């Protein structure tokens, strides 16, 4: 597609329910990132994929969070047993293959707004 | 530990004025420093970026100034316009560029 596509754009869920957030990166981009943005806050790194593997999962806040990527394209971020503190905008971004020594522009989607009530 | 610190949190500038946003970083392994612009309801978009081998980069009304010894860099928006009203994020990244550490953001309001 023309840009990074995320769905759903908005999700309201009850505390304790599981949610899945989907990201469709720019065609041809092998690197995919998930960030979280709480209200009025900065961007918190969650996880990074190169192809289908996730070399860096260090930002996942707890074991309730998981992510996968299949076919080197679409990624799903799953939050189990949601808590109110999970309410945030979840941003997906993608980029071309990481090239050492060069700046690597990452392109963000518009985010999935999650509200846990 | 916050890798990139950004200030101010919010900024009000009159149309035509200069907007200045400052960032400081901790990790000396960072060697790529982009600035992102985010409008409400949208994802951040790359505005301008700099590497530490230069002290300044200018693109139109936007200039990054970089001070390697002080581990600081700043964004200057000349002739600020109401359309520049947005949230600005600075970031730092290491040589393998697989993770960007973002500042906490600056909400800029340019008054007409």
């Amino acid at each position: 597609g023309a840009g990074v596509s995320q769905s759903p754009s908005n999700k309201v869920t009850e505390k304790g329910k599981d949610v899945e957030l989907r990201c469709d990166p720019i065609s041809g981009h092998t690197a995919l990132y998930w960030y979280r943005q709480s209200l009025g806050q900065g961007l918190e790194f969650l996880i990074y994929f190169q192809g289908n593997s996730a070399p860096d999962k260090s930002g996942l806040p707890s074991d309730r969070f998981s992510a996968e990527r299949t076919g080197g394209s679409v990624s799903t971020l799953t939050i189990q047993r949601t808590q109110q503190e999970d309410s945030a905008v979840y941003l997906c971004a993608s980029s071309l293959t990481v090239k050492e020594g060069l700046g690597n522009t990452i392109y963000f989607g518009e985010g999935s707004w999650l509200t846990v009530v | 530990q916050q890798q990139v610190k950004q200030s101010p949190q919010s900024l009000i500038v009159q149309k035509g004025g200069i907007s200045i946003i400052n960032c400081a970083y901790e990790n000396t392994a960072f060697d790529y420093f982009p600035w992102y612009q985010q409008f409400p309801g949208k994802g951040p978009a790359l505005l301008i970026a700099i590497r530490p081998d230069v002290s300044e980069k200018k693109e139109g009304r936007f200039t990054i100034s970089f001070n390697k010894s002080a581990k600081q860099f700043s964004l200057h928006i000349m002739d600020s316009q109401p359309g520049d009203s947005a949230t600005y994020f600075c970031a730092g990244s290491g040589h393998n560029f697989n993770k960007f550490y973002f500042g906490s953001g600056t909400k800029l309001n340019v008054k007409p």
Side-chain angles (χ1 to χ4, degrees), chain A residues 33 35 37 40-43 45 48 55-56 58 91 98-106 108-110 113, chain B residues 9 31-32 36 38 40-46 51 87 89 95-105:
Chain A
Y33 313 76
Y35 282 84
Q37 185 175 25
Q41 300 298 310
L43 300 164
F45 171 81
Y48 154 74
D56 192 343
S58 62
L91 289 161
V98 168
K99 292 182 180 180
E100 188 159 331
L102 296 176
N104 202 16
T105 300
I106 59 173
F108 284 89
E110 296 195 344
W113 294 65
Chain B
Q9 196 170 29
D31 61 0
Y32 179 61
Y36 280 78
Q38 184 180 30
K42 302 294 185 181
L46 179 68
R51 300 232 14 216
T87 299
F89 293 96
H95 72 278
N96 60 351
F97 304 111
N98 69 347
K99 182 188 293 186
F100 288 76
Y101 293 87
F102 285 87
S104 55

Side-chain angles (χ1 to χ4, degrees), chain A residues 10-113:
Chain A
N10 284 284
K11 176 74 175 178
V12 179
T13 190
E14 291 181 351
K15 179 181 172 181
K17 294 282 181 69
D18 297 352
V19 295
E20 286 189 351
L21 307 176
R22 175 189 167 107
C23 173
D24 199 345
I26 293 172
S27 178
H29 281 192
T30 58
L32 186 147
Y33 313 76
W34 284 99
Y35 282 84
R36 180 168 71 174
Q37 185 175 25
S38 300
L39 187 62
Q41 300 298 310
L43 300 164
E44 177 190 4
F45 171 81
L46 297 179
I47 189 170
Y48 154 74
F49 287 92
Q50 181 62 44
N52 290 334
S53 64
D56 192 343
K57 304 179 183 179
S58 62
L60 294 177
S62 75
D63 59 6
R64 296 187 295 105
F65 287 73
S66 63
E68 65 174 10
R69 189 180 185 193
T70 56
S73 181
V74 172
S75 175
T76 302
L77 177 68
T78 301
I79 309 172
Q80 296 178 309
R81 305 181 303 281
T82 52
Q83 304 295 312
Q84 288 184 330
E85 60 262 30
D86 299 334
S87 297
V89 178
Y90 290 83
L91 289 161
C92 177
S94 71
S95 68
L96 292 170
T97 302
V98 168
K99 292 182 180 180
E100 188 159 331
L102 296 176
N104 202 16
T105 300
I106 59 173
Y107 298 87
F108 284 89
E110 296 195 344
S112 290
W113 294 65

